Amino acid sequence: MKLHNIHSREELIKKRAAETFHRKACSFYRYIHIENPQTFRNHLYLAWYPLGVLGRIYVSYEGINAQLCVPEYQWDHFADSLSLFPETQDMFINEALTEGDQLFKIRYQGERKNCRRRYRWQYFCAKSWRKARQSY
């Protein structure tokens, strides 16, 4: 199995339009040290691709941030899969009030400085906060 998207955005939009089921959109984040983000990303992909999970999942050494949608009939399996990984166990999930129609593919991004660069104005932990303060 390839651990990356193999379809174009246009193909996925057509596929989503043909779906006969509803999706549940959600988001979550956890600022936690991840020893090997690439390996963790691969494990998430292998667990969630068969469930039809679509969205954006950012994984870095500093944690995980995700905005995604899950087929409603797979929601329980998705929620159970979160307990498979120590990084996502007992994590609060923000569920959207509307169906998740905006996400077309699952995209994982692993990068060492991802959290600091994207969310520079937020204070994640004491170490990141000190570094962010020094850079202003």
Side-chain angles (χ1 to χ4, degrees), residues 16 19 21-28 48-49 51-57 66-75 78 93-96 98-108:
R16 284 291 313 274
E19 288 180 353
F21 53 86
H22 294 285
R23 291 181 168 270
K24 191 180 268 192
C26 69
S27 66
F28 57 84
W48 293 347
Y49 183 80
L51 299 179
V53 173
L54 302 175
R56 294 171 193 86
I57 296 94
Q67 300 82 39
L68 46 86
C69 66
V70 182
E72 281 186 347
Y73 68 91
Q74 293 284 19
W75 181 257
F78 169 73
I93 300 174
N94 299 303
E95 293 183 40
T98 60
E99 186 179 345
D101 285 334
Q102 301 302 316
L103 305 171
F104 298 105
K105 62 183 173 180
I106 192 163
R107 184 175 79 193
Y108 293 86

Side-chain angles (χ1 to χ4, degrees), residues 31-33 60-63 112-117 119-136:
Y31 300 105
I32 184 172
H33 178 72
S60 73
Y61 287 95
E62 296 169 325
R112 183 174 180 91
K113 296 180 182 178
N114 185 19
C115 291
R116 284 187 215 128
R117 197 170 329 133
Y119 306 104
R120 190 173 185 160
W121 62 90
Q122 295 181 4
Y123 304 137
F124 303 106
C125 63
K127 184 177 178 182
S128 293
W129 180 78
R130 282 192 297 275
K131 286 183 178 185
R133 248 183 107 183
Q134 291 171 355
S135 66
Y136 285 113

Side-chain angles (χ1 to χ4, degrees), residues 2-83:
K2 293 184 180 186
L3 297 177
H4 60 85
N5 297 311
I6 57 174
H7 302 289
S8 71
R9 180 176 174 85
E10 292 77 22
E11 290 174 315
L12 293 169
I13 290 172
K14 289 177 186 175
K15 185 177 176 182
R16 284 291 313 274
E19 288 180 353
T20 58
F21 53 86
H22 294 285
R23 291 181 168 270
K24 191 180 268 192
C26 69
S27 66
F28 57 84
Y29 64 92
R30 177 167 282 168
Y31 300 105
I32 184 172
H33 178 72
I34 297 176
E35 192 69 37
N36 190 333
Q38 184 65 37
T39 300
F40 181 53
R41 172 246 181 256
N42 292 344
H43 289 295
L44 291 176
Y45 196 95
L46 290 171
W48 293 347
Y49 183 80
L51 299 179
V53 173
L54 302 175
R56 294 171 193 86
I57 296 94
Y58 299 101
V59 177
S60 73
Y61 287 95
E62 296 169 325
I64 181 171
N65 185 329
Q67 300 82 39
L68 46 86
C69 66
V70 182
E72 281 186 347
Y73 68 91
Q74 293 284 19
W75 181 257
D76 292 334
H77 295 291
F78 169 73
D80 291 341
S81 74
L82 293 174
S83 66

